[in-house]
Amino acid sequence: MDPRDQLDEVLPLLNDLVASLEPSQLDSATPCADFVVADILDHMIGGGTAFAAAFRGETPPTDGGPVDRVAAFPNAMANLRAAVCSPGALDRTIAAPFGEVPGEAFARFVALDGLIHAWDIAAATGQAFAPSVELVSAVNGFARQAITADRRGSGAFGAPIEPPAGASPLVQLVAFTGRTVASR
């Protein structure tokens, strides 16, 4: 599955989850270690903004960021999506937090990050989250190759957790990223 197609599916799901947030839920703990919902939004808005610039071959903006996370989120995700689809974006080398990465591979990391953080938000706020089997399968295939031992423990991914018996493919993927899960 092309990473742009993955983003076409995961970003609307994320936007729907974020649009449904109540202000009181921004402080809700998530399965992502040390992140409450607001931290995930900050991470995704900041990362989305910086990586949109990288996919366009530009320098990221240096402004202080949005005050209203929920309002800023869909704009940041739309900008990121447009940048990933810009001419030459997947052919660029992206300076990722973990080193230089080909654009196509980094777009897959962005889809992985979006899918897992969408699950984090849904789990923290009790919202339904049902990405397609095709999306979960494609992201899982990439995750199993990309999340190496040296990428674990840095805050992004913990040690893999054993998922509950009969867990869905999504829950199995989430457990692989190091999140403690209950079968959903």
Side-chain angles (χ1 to χ4, degrees):
M1 185 177 197
D2 186 285
R4 294 167 291 203
D5 294 335
Q6 293 174 21
L7 291 172
D8 280 345
E9 184 171 338
V10 77
L11 293 180
L13 295 170
L14 265 165
N15 286 334
D16 289 347
L17 289 168
V18 172
S20 297
L21 291 173
E22 297 292 329
S24 62
Q25 293 175 312
L26 293 174
D27 291 326
S28 297
T30 72
C32 184
D34 302 323
F35 272 20
V36 297
V37 171
D39 297 329
I40 289 175
L41 299 183
D42 289 344
H43 162 73
M44 295 197 74
I45 292 167
T49 301
F51 298 134
F55 277 112
R56 288 188 177 107
E58 301 168 353
T59 302
T62 57
D63 68 337
V67 173
D68 184 344
R69 295 171 179 101
V70 173
F73 191 86
N75 293 332
M77 296 304 103
N79 186 35
L80 175 61
R81 172 65 177 89
V84 169
C85 291
S86 65
L90 298 184
D91 298 324
R92 283 191 173 79
T93 298
I94 307 297
F98 46 83
E100 301 273 311
V101 181
E104 183 171 350
F106 194 68
R108 292 180 190 285
F109 271 110
V110 171
L112 168 62
D113 191 61
L115 181 66
I116 299 302
H117 284 315
W119 185 87
D120 291 332
I121 293 168
T125 61
Q127 295 186 62
F129 180 59
S132 73
V133 171
E134 182 183 28
L135 174 65
V136 173
S137 177
V139 171
N140 183 51
F142 174 75
R144 300 291 171 152
Q145 294 174 6
I147 302 175
T148 56
D150 61 320
R151 290 208 174 114
R152 293 190 182 271
S154 63
F157 307 109
I161 304 291
E162 186 65 33
S168 70
L170 177 60
V171 170
Q172 291 176 38
L173 170 60
V174 169
F176 177 73
T177 70
R179 285 154 171 80
T180 302
V181 297
S183 190
R184 279 177 56 114

